[in-house]
Short mmCIF file of all heavy atoms in Angstrom, two decimals:
data_model
loop_
_atom_site.label_atom_id
_atom_site.label_comp_id
_atom_site.label_asym_id
_atom_site.label_seq_id
_atom_site.Cartn_x
_atom_site.Cartn_y
_atom_site.Cartn_z
N VAL P 1 98.47 95.66 91.92
CA VAL P 1 98.15 95.78 90.49
C VAL P 1 99.06 96.84 89.87
O VAL P 1 99.63 97.67 90.59
CB VAL P 1 96.67 96.16 90.27
CG1 VAL P 1 95.75 95.06 90.82
CG2 VAL P 1 96.34 97.49 90.93
N PRO P 2 99.23 96.84 88.55
CA PRO P 2 100.22 97.73 87.94
C PRO P 2 99.85 99.20 87.90
O PRO P 2 100.74 100.06 87.86
CB PRO P 2 100.39 97.16 86.53
CG PRO P 2 99.12 96.41 86.27
CD PRO P 2 98.68 95.87 87.59
N ASP P 3 98.54 99.54 87.88
CA ASP P 3 98.19 100.96 87.72
C ASP P 3 96.81 101.23 88.32
O ASP P 3 96.06 100.31 88.66
CB ASP P 3 98.20 101.36 86.24
CG ASP P 3 97.37 100.43 85.38
OD1 ASP P 3 96.14 100.32 85.63
OD2 ASP P 3 97.93 99.79 84.47
N SER P 4 96.48 102.51 88.45
CA SER P 4 95.22 102.91 89.10
C SER P 4 94.00 102.53 88.28
O SER P 4 92.92 102.26 88.82
CB SER P 4 95.23 104.42 89.36
OG SER P 4 95.42 105.14 88.16
N GLU P 5 94.13 102.51 86.96
CA GLU P 5 93.00 102.12 86.12
C GLU P 5 92.61 100.68 86.37
O GLU P 5 91.42 100.34 86.50
CB GLU P 5 93.34 102.32 84.65
CG GLU P 5 92.17 102.04 83.72
CD GLU P 5 92.51 102.30 82.26
OE1 GLU P 5 93.58 102.90 82.00
OE2 GLU P 5 91.70 101.92 81.39
N THR P 6 93.61 99.80 86.47
CA THR P 6 93.34 98.40 86.78
C THR P 6 92.73 98.27 88.17
O THR P 6 91.80 97.48 88.40
CB THR P 6 94.64 97.58 86.71
OG1 THR P 6 95.20 97.70 85.41
CG2 THR P 6 94.38 96.11 87.01
N SER P 7 93.26 99.04 89.13
CA SER P 7 92.73 99.02 90.48
C SER P 7 91.24 99.37 90.49
O SER P 7 90.43 98.69 91.14
CB SER P 7 93.50 100.01 91.36
OG SER P 7 92.92 100.12 92.63
N MET P 8 90.86 100.42 89.79
CA MET P 8 89.47 100.85 89.76
C MET P 8 88.59 99.80 89.08
O MET P 8 87.50 99.48 89.56
CB MET P 8 89.35 102.19 89.02
CG MET P 8 87.93 102.74 89.00
SD MET P 8 87.85 104.40 88.28
CE MET P 8 88.39 104.04 86.59
N HIS P 9 89.10 99.22 88.00
CA HIS P 9 88.32 98.22 87.26
C HIS P 9 88.08 96.98 88.12
O HIS P 9 86.95 96.46 88.19
CB HIS P 9 89.07 97.84 85.99
CG HIS P 9 88.43 96.73 85.23
ND1 HIS P 9 87.23 96.87 84.55
CD2 HIS P 9 88.81 95.42 85.05
CE1 HIS P 9 86.90 95.72 83.99
NE2 HIS P 9 87.84 94.83 84.27
N LEU P 10 89.11 96.50 88.81
CA LEU P 10 88.96 95.29 89.62
C LEU P 10 88.17 95.54 90.89
O LEU P 10 87.51 94.63 91.41
CB LEU P 10 90.35 94.72 89.97
CG LEU P 10 91.15 94.18 88.78
CD1 LEU P 10 92.48 93.62 89.25
CD2 LEU P 10 90.37 93.12 88.02
N SER P 11 88.20 96.78 91.38
CA SER P 11 87.42 97.10 92.58
C SER P 11 85.94 96.90 92.34
O SER P 11 85.18 96.56 93.26
CB SER P 11 87.68 98.54 93.02
OG SER P 11 89.01 98.70 93.46
N LEU P 12 85.50 97.09 91.10
CA LEU P 12 84.10 96.90 90.76
C LEU P 12 83.71 95.42 90.76
O LEU P 12 82.52 95.09 90.73
CB LEU P 12 83.79 97.52 89.40
CG LEU P 12 84.02 99.04 89.29
CD1 LEU P 12 83.79 99.49 87.85
CD2 LEU P 12 83.10 99.78 90.25
N GLN P 13 84.73 94.54 90.80
CA GLN P 13 84.46 93.10 90.76
C GLN P 13 84.71 92.42 92.11
O GLN P 13 84.80 91.20 92.18
CB GLN P 13 85.35 92.45 89.69
CG GLN P 13 85.17 93.04 88.30
CD GLN P 13 86.07 92.35 87.30
OE1 GLN P 13 86.05 91.13 87.16
NE2 GLN P 13 86.88 93.13 86.59
N ARG P 14 84.81 93.21 93.17
CA ARG P 14 85.08 92.64 94.50
C ARG P 14 84.13 91.49 94.84
O ARG P 14 84.53 90.47 95.39
CB ARG P 14 84.91 93.72 95.57
CG ARG P 14 86.06 94.67 95.74
CD ARG P 14 85.87 95.44 97.05
NE ARG P 14 86.86 96.48 97.20
CZ ARG P 14 86.65 97.75 96.90
NH1 ARG P 14 85.47 98.12 96.41
NH2 ARG P 14 87.59 98.65 97.09
N GLY P 15 82.85 91.70 94.50
CA GLY P 15 81.84 90.72 94.87
C GLY P 15 82.15 89.33 94.36
O GLY P 15 82.03 88.34 95.09
N ARG P 16 82.57 89.24 93.11
CA ARG P 16 82.81 87.90 92.55
C ARG P 16 84.05 87.25 93.16
O ARG P 16 84.12 86.03 93.32
CB ARG P 16 82.90 87.94 91.03
CG ARG P 16 84.19 88.44 90.42
CD ARG P 16 84.12 88.31 88.89
NE ARG P 16 85.32 88.79 88.21
CZ ARG P 16 86.35 88.02 87.93
NH1 ARG P 16 86.34 86.75 88.28
NH2 ARG P 16 87.40 88.52 87.29
N PHE P 17 85.05 88.07 93.55
CA PHE P 17 86.24 87.52 94.19
C PHE P 17 85.88 86.98 95.58
O PHE P 17 86.31 85.88 95.96
CB PHE P 17 87.34 88.58 94.30
CG PHE P 17 87.81 89.11 92.98
CD1 PHE P 17 87.96 90.47 92.77
CD2 PHE P 17 88.10 88.26 91.92
CE1 PHE P 17 88.39 90.98 91.55
CE2 PHE P 17 88.52 88.75 90.69
CZ PHE P 17 88.67 90.11 90.51
N LEU P 18 85.10 87.75 96.33
CA LEU P 18 84.70 87.31 97.67
C LEU P 18 83.84 86.05 97.59
O LEU P 18 83.98 85.13 98.39
CB LEU P 18 83.93 88.43 98.38
CG LEU P 18 84.74 89.68 98.71
CD1 LEU P 18 83.83 90.76 99.29
CD2 LEU P 18 85.87 89.36 99.68
N GLU P 19 82.97 86.01 96.58
CA GLU P 19 82.12 84.83 96.38
C GLU P 19 82.97 83.60 96.07
O GLU P 19 82.69 82.49 96.55
CB GLU P 19 81.12 85.08 95.25
CG GLU P 19 80.14 83.93 95.04
CD GLU P 19 79.16 84.21 93.92
OE1 GLU P 19 79.26 85.28 93.29
OE2 GLU P 19 78.30 83.35 93.68
N ALA P 20 84.02 83.77 95.27
CA ALA P 20 84.90 82.65 94.94
C ALA P 20 85.59 82.13 96.19
O ALA P 20 85.71 80.91 96.39
CB ALA P 20 85.93 83.09 93.90
N TYR P 21 86.09 83.04 97.03
CA TYR P 21 86.74 82.60 98.27
C TYR P 21 85.77 81.80 99.12
O TYR P 21 86.13 80.74 99.67
CB TYR P 21 87.26 83.80 99.06
CG TYR P 21 88.66 84.23 98.66
CD1 TYR P 21 88.90 85.45 98.04
CD2 TYR P 21 89.76 83.40 98.92
CE1 TYR P 21 90.18 85.84 97.67
CE2 TYR P 21 91.04 83.78 98.57
CZ TYR P 21 91.25 85.00 97.95
OH TYR P 21 92.51 85.36 97.58
N ARG P 22 84.54 82.29 99.25
CA ARG P 22 83.58 81.63 100.14
C ARG P 22 83.05 80.33 99.54
O ARG P 22 83.01 79.29 100.21
CB ARG P 22 82.42 82.58 100.46
CG ARG P 22 82.78 83.65 101.48
CD ARG P 22 81.54 84.37 101.96
NE ARG P 22 81.00 85.27 100.93
CZ ARG P 22 81.26 86.57 100.87
NH1 ARG P 22 82.07 87.11 101.75
NH2 ARG P 22 80.75 87.31 99.92
N ASN P 23 82.60 80.40 98.30
CA ASN P 23 81.91 79.26 97.72
C ASN P 23 82.83 78.19 97.14
O ASN P 23 82.53 77.00 97.22
CB ASN P 23 80.93 79.74 96.63
CG ASN P 23 79.83 80.61 97.20
OD1 ASN P 23 79.57 80.58 98.40
ND2 ASN P 23 79.19 81.41 96.36
N ARG P 24 83.94 78.60 96.52
CA ARG P 24 84.85 77.61 95.92
C ARG P 24 85.80 77.01 96.94
O ARG P 24 86.13 75.82 96.89
CB ARG P 24 85.65 78.24 94.79
CG ARG P 24 84.87 78.50 93.51
CD ARG P 24 85.75 79.13 92.45
NE ARG P 24 86.90 78.32 92.14
CZ ARG P 24 87.98 78.76 91.48
NH1 ARG P 24 88.02 80.03 91.08
NH2 ARG P 24 89.00 77.98 91.24
N PHE P 25 86.27 77.86 97.88
CA PHE P 25 87.32 77.40 98.78
C PHE P 25 86.90 77.40 100.25
O PHE P 25 87.68 77.00 101.11
CB PHE P 25 88.57 78.28 98.61
CG PHE P 25 89.10 78.27 97.21
CD1 PHE P 25 88.97 79.39 96.39
CD2 PHE P 25 89.69 77.14 96.68
CE1 PHE P 25 89.45 79.38 95.09
CE2 PHE P 25 90.17 77.12 95.39
CZ PHE P 25 90.05 78.24 94.58
N GLY P 26 85.68 77.84 100.56
CA GLY P 26 85.21 77.81 101.94
C GLY P 26 85.95 78.73 102.88
O GLY P 26 86.01 78.50 104.08
N ILE P 27 86.52 79.82 102.34
CA ILE P 27 87.28 80.78 103.15
C ILE P 27 86.42 81.99 103.45
O ILE P 27 85.99 82.70 102.54
CB ILE P 27 88.56 81.22 102.40
CG1 ILE P 27 89.47 80.01 102.21
CG2 ILE P 27 89.28 82.33 103.16
CD1 ILE P 27 90.71 80.31 101.40
N ARG P 28 86.18 82.23 104.73
CA ARG P 28 85.34 83.36 105.14
C ARG P 28 86.14 84.45 105.84
O ARG P 28 85.58 85.44 106.28
CB ARG P 28 84.21 82.86 106.05
CG ARG P 28 83.31 81.86 105.32
CD ARG P 28 82.07 81.50 106.12
NE ARG P 28 81.22 80.60 105.36
CZ ARG P 28 80.34 80.99 104.45
NH1 ARG P 28 80.20 82.28 104.18
NH2 ARG P 28 79.60 80.12 103.79
N ASP P 29 87.45 84.23 105.96
CA ASP P 29 88.30 85.25 106.60
C ASP P 29 88.45 86.48 105.72
O ASP P 29 88.78 87.56 106.22
CB ASP P 29 89.69 84.67 106.91
CG ASP P 29 89.64 83.61 107.99
OD1 ASP P 29 88.68 83.63 108.78
OD2 ASP P 29 90.54 82.77 108.04
N VAL P 30 88.26 86.33 104.41
CA VAL P 30 88.40 87.47 103.49
C VAL P 30 87.07 88.21 103.42
O VAL P 30 86.10 87.71 102.84
CB VAL P 30 88.83 87.01 102.09
CG1 VAL P 30 89.02 88.22 101.17
CG2 VAL P 30 90.13 86.21 102.16
N ARG P 31 87.02 89.41 104.00
CA ARG P 31 85.78 90.19 104.02
C ARG P 31 85.78 91.28 102.96
O ARG P 31 84.74 91.82 102.61
CB ARG P 31 85.57 90.81 105.40
CG ARG P 31 85.43 89.79 106.52
CD ARG P 31 84.92 90.45 107.79
NE ARG P 31 85.75 91.57 108.20
CZ ARG P 31 86.82 91.48 108.99
NH1 ARG P 31 87.18 90.30 109.45
NH2 ARG P 31 87.52 92.55 109.32
N ASP P 32 86.97 91.62 102.45
CA ASP P 32 87.06 92.67 101.43
C ASP P 32 88.36 92.47 100.66
O ASP P 32 89.29 91.83 101.15
CB ASP P 32 87.03 94.06 102.07
CG ASP P 32 86.77 95.17 101.06
OD1 ASP P 32 86.44 94.84 99.90
OD2 ASP P 32 86.89 96.35 101.43
N VAL P 33 88.40 93.02 99.45
CA VAL P 33 89.60 92.98 98.63
C VAL P 33 89.92 94.41 98.20
O VAL P 33 89.05 95.12 97.71
CB VAL P 33 89.43 92.11 97.36
CG1 VAL P 33 90.73 92.03 96.58
CG2 VAL P 33 88.96 90.70 97.75
N ARG P 34 91.15 94.83 98.42
CA ARG P 34 91.57 96.16 98.03
C ARG P 34 92.78 96.06 97.09
O ARG P 34 93.72 95.29 97.36
CB ARG P 34 91.92 97.01 99.25
CG ARG P 34 90.71 97.28 100.13
CD ARG P 34 91.03 98.19 101.29
NE ARG P 34 89.88 98.31 102.19
CZ ARG P 34 89.91 98.96 103.34
NH1 ARG P 34 91.03 99.56 103.74
NH2 ARG P 34 88.83 99.01 104.11
N PHE P 35 92.72 96.84 96.04
CA PHE P 35 93.76 96.77 95.01
C PHE P 35 94.65 98.01 95.11
O PHE P 35 94.17 99.14 95.18
CB PHE P 35 93.10 96.68 93.63
CG PHE P 35 92.23 95.46 93.50
CD1 PHE P 35 90.87 95.52 93.78
CD2 PHE P 35 92.78 94.24 93.13
CE1 PHE P 35 90.06 94.40 93.68
CE2 PHE P 35 91.97 93.11 93.03
CZ PHE P 35 90.62 93.19 93.30
N ARG P 36 95.96 97.76 95.14
CA ARG P 36 96.92 98.84 95.32
C ARG P 36 97.81 98.94 94.09
O ARG P 36 98.43 97.96 93.66
CB ARG P 36 97.77 98.59 96.57
CG ARG P 36 96.90 98.40 97.82
CD ARG P 36 97.74 98.20 99.06
NE ARG P 36 98.62 97.04 98.94
CZ ARG P 36 99.45 96.64 99.90
NH1 ARG P 36 99.51 97.32 101.03
NH2 ARG P 36 100.21 95.59 99.74
N ALA P 37 97.83 100.10 93.50
CA ALA P 37 98.56 100.31 92.25
C ALA P 37 100.06 100.47 92.48
O ALA P 37 100.49 101.10 93.45
CB ALA P 37 98.03 101.56 91.53
N GLY P 38 100.85 99.86 91.58
CA GLY P 38 102.29 100.08 91.55
C GLY P 38 103.07 99.42 92.64
O GLY P 38 104.13 99.90 93.04
N ARG P 39 102.56 98.23 93.18
CA ARG P 39 103.27 97.59 94.26
C ARG P 39 103.48 96.11 93.97
O ARG P 39 103.20 95.61 92.92
CB ARG P 39 102.50 97.77 95.57
CG ARG P 39 102.26 99.22 95.91
CD ARG P 39 102.02 99.41 97.36
NE ARG P 39 103.04 98.73 98.15
CZ ARG P 39 103.04 98.72 99.48
NH1 ARG P 39 102.10 99.34 100.14
NH2 ARG P 39 104.00 98.09 100.15
N GLY P 40 104.02 95.39 95.01
CA GLY P 40 104.17 93.94 94.93
C GLY P 40 105.24 93.53 93.97
O GLY P 40 106.39 93.87 94.12
N ALA P 41 104.85 92.77 92.91
CA ALA P 41 105.82 92.35 91.92
C ALA P 41 106.40 93.57 91.28
O ALA P 41 107.41 93.53 90.61
CB ALA P 41 105.14 91.47 90.88
N PHE P 42 105.71 94.71 91.51
CA PHE P 42 106.10 95.98 90.92
C PHE P 42 106.86 96.82 91.94
O PHE P 42 107.10 98.00 91.74
CB PHE P 42 104.84 96.70 90.45
CG PHE P 42 103.79 95.74 89.97
CD1 PHE P 42 102.71 95.39 90.77
CD2 PHE P 42 103.90 95.14 88.74
CE1 PHE P 42 101.77 94.48 90.34
CE2 PHE P 42 102.95 94.23 88.30
CZ PHE P 42 101.88 93.90 89.11
#
């Protein structure tokens, strides 16, 4: 993610992301989601 504020905001929504992986796509390998500021495309 681009910055720490976005990281903190999305961290509060981990539950819905995990639920989407499990319920929409049947993926149970994802047990947690962590957001890292200033990386990736950045």
Side-chain angles (χ1 to χ4, degrees):
V1 297
D3 52 60
S4 57
E5 184 177 349
T6 302
S7 173
M8 183 174 63
H9 175 70
L10 293 181
S11 293
L12 299 175
Q13 303 180 54
R14 280 194 187 98
R16 78 176 179 91
F17 299 134
L18 294 175
E19 183 180 2
Y21 273 113
R22 284 191 287 264
N23 296 341
R24 287 179 57 195
F25 302 109
I27 296 176
R28 299 188 177 277
D29 292 337
V30 182
R31 299 193 305 271
D32 195 9
V33 183
R34 295 184 186 174
F35 300 93
R36 305 182 301 181
R39 303 202 49 181
F42 326 101

